[in-house]
Amino acid sequence: AFRVLNSLQYLALHTNQLVSLPSDIFVGLDDLRELYLNVNHFTSLPPDLFFGLANLQTLELSRNQLTSLQDDIFLGLASLRYLWLNSNNLTSSGLPPGIFRGLGNL
């Protein structure tokens, strides 16, 4: 959907009542730095949703209905500095051990 916007650095999809996203929606957004998906209705996210977003620095996922996250969902996001997961339905059992590995800039 956004592939032709390959220079896009900021994408705000917050407060849209979204319930799901296709796993390839962010493919080609290599320059994306900030992604806002907060205040939607996500209960889960595809495991490879953020694959290829190596330059992403800010990821806002708060105020959704997430109950768990896949083990590798943040894999490859080495530039990530800010991650918001507050106000979801996450518990410690919904966060696999090592989910934040490779995120040394947080």
Side-chain angles (χ1 to χ4, degrees), residues 12 61 80 84 90:
L61 293 170
L80 197 64
W84 286 277
L90 294 167

Side-chain angles (χ1 to χ4, degrees), residues 76-103:
L77 300 182
S79 298
L80 197 64
R81 296 180 63 201
Y82 305 101
L83 173 63
W84 286 277
L85 294 170
N86 55 295
S87 300
N88 279 290
N89 296 322
L90 294 167
T91 63
S92 58
S93 63
L95 294 174
I99 191 168
F100 302 115
R101 72 182 173 277
L103 302 179

Side-chain angles (χ1 to χ4, degrees), residues 21-33:
L21 291 171
S23 61
D24 64 347
I25 192 167
F26 303 125
V27 169
L29 298 182
D30 301 336
D31 290 334
L32 194 64
R33 303 282 193 278

Side-chain angles (χ1 to χ4, degrees), residues 11 58 78 102-103:
L11 181 58
T58 300
L103 302 179

Side-chain angles (χ1 to χ4, degrees), residues 11-97:
L11 181 58
L13 296 174
H14 60 85
T15 320
N16 279 296
Q17 300 182 11
L18 299 172
V19 295
S20 66
L21 291 171
S23 61
D24 64 347
I25 192 167
F26 303 125
V27 169
L29 298 182
D30 301 336
D31 290 334
L32 194 64
R33 303 282 193 278
E34 298 182 39
L35 178 58
Y36 297 87
L37 298 172
N38 51 309
V39 196
N40 280 295
H41 300 287
F42 302 121
T43 56
S44 64
L45 297 170
D48 55 350
L49 182 64
F50 307 119
F51 182 78
L53 300 180
N55 292 310
L56 193 67
Q57 297 176 3
T58 300
L59 178 57
E60 169 63 278
L61 293 170
S62 67
R63 298 182 62 198
N64 280 288
Q65 298 166 14
L66 296 170
T67 56
S68 65
L69 293 170
Q70 298 293 321
D71 186 40
D72 294 336
I73 194 154
F74 302 126
L75 192 65
L77 300 182
S79 298
L80 197 64
R81 296 180 63 201
Y82 305 101
L83 173 63
W84 286 277
L85 294 170
N86 55 295
S87 300
N88 279 290
N89 296 322
L90 294 167
T91 63
S92 58
S93 63
L95 294 174

